Amino acid sequence: MKDEIFVNYAAALFSLAREEKKVSAYRKEIKEVEKILTEDPSFLECFSSYKVPHEDIYRILDEAFKGLESPSILPFLKLLISKHLISSIPEISEAFYGMCNEYLGIEEGLVYSTTPLTEEEVSKLEKALENKLSCKVSLKNKIDRNLIGGVRIVLDGKIYDGSVENKIETLRKELLKGGLI
C-alpha cells in the first residue's frame, strides 16, 4: 500500500516535469534534494516533526532550496511535508528516477563495491558502459561487504564483474585449463 502511495506522488511530479518539458532538470534537482535531505538526518527530523509549525518548516525549506530552477519541486516538497511524507523522499525519488529514466531512455543499474564510490568514480563507470553499450546509463552505488575488492555492476539483467574474486576465479580456471594446477 505504501509503495503505491510513493509511486503516485512520483507520478504526479513526473507529470509536471513532462508538462514543463524539463524531465532531465527535474531528475537532476530531485537527486540533489534527496541527497541533501538524506545526508543530514536533522533535515528530515525537523521537516517530519509534528512539533514544528509547517510555516516555520516552509521558511527553512524556502531558504535551503531557493536555488532550484524547476518551479514545481518546492511546492511538491511542501506537499510532502504537509502530508507527513517527507521522510519517504528516498522511496518517492527512486520511483521518480525510474519514470524519468524510462522516459529518457536511460538504463538503470547497480554498482557494488566494498566502500562507497565517489560521484566521479560512478560517473567514469557510467561513461565506460555508455561507450560499450551505446546507450545512456545511470548507476546507483551499493555497498557489498562480501566483495574482496573491485566492483560488480548489474545492468539490464547482465553482470559486469570486475571484482577481485572474479579475477582470481578466472585465473584459477585458466590455470586448470592449462594443466598448471
Side-chain angles (χ1 to χ4, degrees):
M1 178 70 175
K2 264 196 164 194
D3 287 347
E4 188 178 317
I5 292 169
F6 302 150
V7 170
N8 288 341
Y9 277 91
L13 183 62
F14 178 71
S15 177
L16 290 169
R18 242 188 25 231
E19 228 175 76
E20 296 172 18
K21 297 180 180 14
K22 294 183 175 182
V23 174
S24 290
Y26 271 69
R27 182 181 175 274
K28 180 183 175 198
E29 288 191 342
I30 281 292
K31 187 175 264 190
E32 290 171 14
V33 166
E34 179 196 9
K35 183 179 177 186
I36 290 167
L37 291 177
T38 56
E39 278 184 350
D40 186 351
S42 64
F43 267 127
L44 284 180
E45 196 175 298
C46 171
F47 293 166
S48 300
S49 175
Y50 284 85
K51 295 177 183 176
V52 182
H54 283 162
E55 295 74 30
D56 293 344
I57 295 173
Y58 295 159
R59 268 196 303 280
I60 295 167
L61 194 70
D62 287 337
E63 186 60 33
F65 296 111
K66 64 182 171 192
L68 292 176
E69 293 178 27
S70 304
S72 299
I73 291 180
L74 203 50
F76 178 75
L77 294 173
K78 289 177 181 179
L79 175 67
L80 294 180
I81 289 167
S82 73
K83 300 292 184 183
H84 300 285
L85 286 170
I86 195 68
S87 62
S88 301
I89 194 72
E91 294 85 355
I92 294 168
S93 296
E94 188 173 328
F96 179 73
Y97 301 149
M99 292 171 195
C100 290
N101 288 345
E102 184 178 332
Y103 180 81
L104 297 169
I106 298 172
E107 292 289 334
E108 296 178 79
L110 295 172
V111 56
Y112 295 93
S113 60
T114 56
T115 58
L117 300 176
T118 65
E119 286 182 27
E120 184 180 329
E121 290 169 326
V122 172
S123 182
K124 284 181 182 179
L125 289 169
E126 288 170 341
K127 295 269 185 267
L129 286 166
E130 286 172 0
N131 291 336
K132 179 181 175 107
L133 304 173
S134 301
C135 68
K136 295 288 282 172
V137 173
S138 176
L139 296 174
K140 185 173 182 179
N141 188 210
K142 294 273 186 186
I143 304 304
D144 183 350
R145 301 280 181 216
N146 296 322
L147 288 176
I148 297 170
V151 296
R152 180 176 294 131
I153 299 170
V154 179
L155 179 71
D156 195 28
K158 295 185 180 104
I159 298 173
Y160 301 90
D161 200 341
S163 67
V164 172
E165 293 171 273
N166 185 54
K167 290 177 182 176
I168 291 171
E169 182 60 22
T170 302
L171 180 60
R172 186 184 74 76
K173 285 180 182 175
E174 287 179 25
L175 292 172
L176 283 171
K177 188 177 173 182
L180 298 175
I181 44 176

